[in-house]
Structures are given as structure tokens and as C-alpha cells.
């Protein structure tokens, strides 16, 4: 999505930057992991396919993607994004009948970065950006039945199950945007700020 190509979102534990060509090699290494493939229901791609996907997502107005950086590593390593990468967070506008609805995904790929609140802050920051800047009125999420960590994370924020598929082994969750949700997102992201992303 072109709208976020020069946008950086900073928080307490995380920094979100647009998914750029320089991130592809490390992202590709992550996605060789069978664990991550299973958790994200992804198929492994060749490096060339990964570069092509990054470029197509950058231009696709129905996909908004940020790389999640660890803020401590980022700030102590002279803003080196590659060494700071821990995951990604995405919005997909894939319901033509509901243009203000978006599916949200979060992945914390680095095992050392999990279980310490980075995923929650990245998710809430992306949701705040989505409501403020993209006009989202409803969020959905699809989570693997076996991915209990992600299910708990989404449920803590307020998502509720609306369907499940035994065939695809996933649960679909939904959360309408309300005044209560907006207050929750502000409380969960006290250090939230948007600035220009300087490459």
C-alpha cells in the first residue's frame, strides 16, 4: 500500500516500518521455518518470489504491511532495521462488500522476542493506525486452531469467534470498532507516535 510507504509508527517496545526490499532476505530466512509456516498457514517461497511479493504488496491498495522492529535493539544499533527485525503486522482489505473492514495478522518470528508484549503492542498500534488513518470500522482475524498464543492475544483485545473451519483448521474472529475499543487501543499504546520513515 502506497499510503504507508513513508510512515513509521513508534511505541514503547516496538517500531513499525514499511516492508521494504532491504527486509526481504531476513524475512525469507524466517519463512524457511516449518513452525512459522504452520502458524501462519504459509507456503515457502523462493527468494525471487519473496522479492516479487514484497514489491506487489507495496503497490497493492488492499494490503498494508509493516515490519516489526524491537525498539531497544533499533535505538541501540544506530537505527539498523535488519538487526532489529522481529516480525510483521499486516492489514488486508479483502471484502469488496465491506470496504471499511480489514483482516489483521501479526507474526513475531524471533523466538527471543515472544511473550514480552511486543506482539500485543504491534497489534494495537496497527489497529490504532487502521482506525485513525485508514477508516477501518471492523477488524477480522484468522488464526490456526492450534495457535493458542495468538488466539489468547486476540481475545484479550476483545476479538470474538464468529466461525471455525475444521477443513482449514482455523478460527475466524471479529471485533467491531467502538468508542470502547478506541479507548483500549490508546491505553495499550501510550507511547504511540507517527513520523516520517527516513530510509
Amino acid at each position: 500500500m502506497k499510503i504507508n510507504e513513508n510512515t513509521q509508527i513508534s511505541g514503547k517496545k516496538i517500531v513499525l516500518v514499511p516492508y521494504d526490499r532491504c527486509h526481504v532476505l531476513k524475512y525469507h530466512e524466517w519463512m524457511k521455518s516449518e513452525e512459522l509456516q504452520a502458524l501462519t498457514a504459509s507456503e515457502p517461497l523462493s527468494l525471487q518470489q519473496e522479492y516479487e511479493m514484497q514489491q506487489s504488496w507495496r503497490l497493492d491498495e488492499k494490503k498494508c504491511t509493516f515490519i516489526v522492529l524491537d525498539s531497544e535493539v533499533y535505538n541501540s544499533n544506530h537505527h539498523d532495521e535488519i538487526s532489529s527485525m522481529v516480525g510483521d503486522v499486516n492489514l488486508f482489505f479483502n471484502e469488496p462488500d465491506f470496504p471499511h473492514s480489514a483482516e489483521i495478522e501479526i507474526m513475531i518470528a524471533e523466538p527471543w522476542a515472544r511473550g514480552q508484549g511486543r506482539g500485543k503492542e504491534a497489534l494495537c498500534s496497527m489497529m490504532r493506525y487502521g482506525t485513525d488513518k485508514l477508516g477501518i470500522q471492523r477488524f477480522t482475524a484468522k488464526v490456526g486452531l492450534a495457535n493458542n498464543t495468538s488466539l489468547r492475544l486476540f481475545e484479550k483485545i476483545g476479538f470474538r469467534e464468529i466461525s471455525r473451519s475444521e477443513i482449514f483448521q482455523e478460527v475466524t474472529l471479529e471485533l467491531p470498532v467502538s468508542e470502547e475499543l478506541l479507548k483500549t487501543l490508546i491505553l495499550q499504546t501510550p507511547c504511540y507516535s507517527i513520523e516520517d520513515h527516513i530510509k
Side-chain angles (χ1 to χ4, degrees):
M1 185 176 273
K2 298 284 283 182
I3 194 172
N4 77 314
E5 67 177 341
N6 297 309
T7 300
Q8 177 172 311
I9 301 171
S10 297
K12 184 178 182 181
K13 296 182 177 183
I14 54 91
V15 177
L16 306 182
V17 296
Y19 183 30
D20 213 341
R21 187 175 176 83
C22 66
H23 304 124
V24 171
L25 188 58
K26 186 166 183 177
Y27 188 90
H28 179 66
E29 289 301 313
W30 284 342
M31 298 316 295
K32 290 179 180 178
S33 160
E34 291 183 4
E35 178 200 15
L36 288 179
Q37 289 171 26
L39 289 174
T40 60
S42 301
E43 295 292 328
L45 300 178
S46 69
L47 182 58
Q48 181 59 36
Q49 288 172 320
E50 207 79 72
Y51 277 113
E52 289 168 1
M53 179 175 283
Q54 180 276 324
Q55 186 60 25
S56 71
W57 282 28
R58 170 59 60 88
L59 300 173
D60 191 334
E61 289 306 307
K62 298 187 183 302
K63 295 180 173 69
C64 183
T65 301
F66 284 95
I67 292 292
V68 182
L69 310 179
D70 177 81
S71 62
E72 186 175 345
V73 177
Y74 180 67
N75 290 320
S76 63
N77 281 8
H78 309 288
H79 294 180
D80 177 56
E81 294 181 9
I82 308 308
S83 64
S84 313
M85 288 173 64
V86 295
D88 72 332
V89 61
N90 310 304
L91 288 168
F92 303 120
F93 294 84
N94 48 18
E95 293 189 64
D97 294 336
F98 299 98
H100 298 290
S101 178
E103 180 184 338
I104 190 164
E105 287 183 349
I106 176 75
M107 175 183 74
I108 300 299
E110 294 289 347
W112 64 265
R114 297 175 190 162
Q116 300 163 57
R118 293 177 186 85
K120 186 175 184 181
E121 188 180 8
L123 189 65
C124 290
S125 296
M126 186 61 140
M127 292 172 69
R128 190 167 170 181
Y129 177 77
T131 55
D132 288 351
K133 302 298 182 184
L134 305 177
I136 295 173
Q137 297 172 8
R138 181 185 70 173
F139 291 97
T140 61
K142 293 181 179 177
V143 181
L145 289 174
N147 193 344
N148 292 319
T149 302
S150 283
L151 283 170
R152 284 196 301 270
L153 172 60
F154 280 102
E155 287 169 354
K156 278 182 185 176
I157 294 169
F159 282 79
R160 294 293 173 259
E161 180 180 332
I162 57 170
S163 67
R164 63 173 54 209
S165 169
E166 297 299 333
I167 296 171
F168 294 108
Q169 287 291 294
E170 68 182 14
V171 178
T172 299
L173 308 164
E174 181 182 86
L175 180 56
V177 175
S178 62
E179 288 299 320
E180 184 179 349
L181 175 62
L182 295 176
K183 289 176 185 175
T184 298
L185 295 178
I186 290 169
L187 285 172
Q188 294 293 334
T189 56
C191 300
Y192 177 93
S193 67
I194 295 180
E195 55 216 315
D196 289 338
H197 179 238
I198 300 169
K199 300 173 186 174

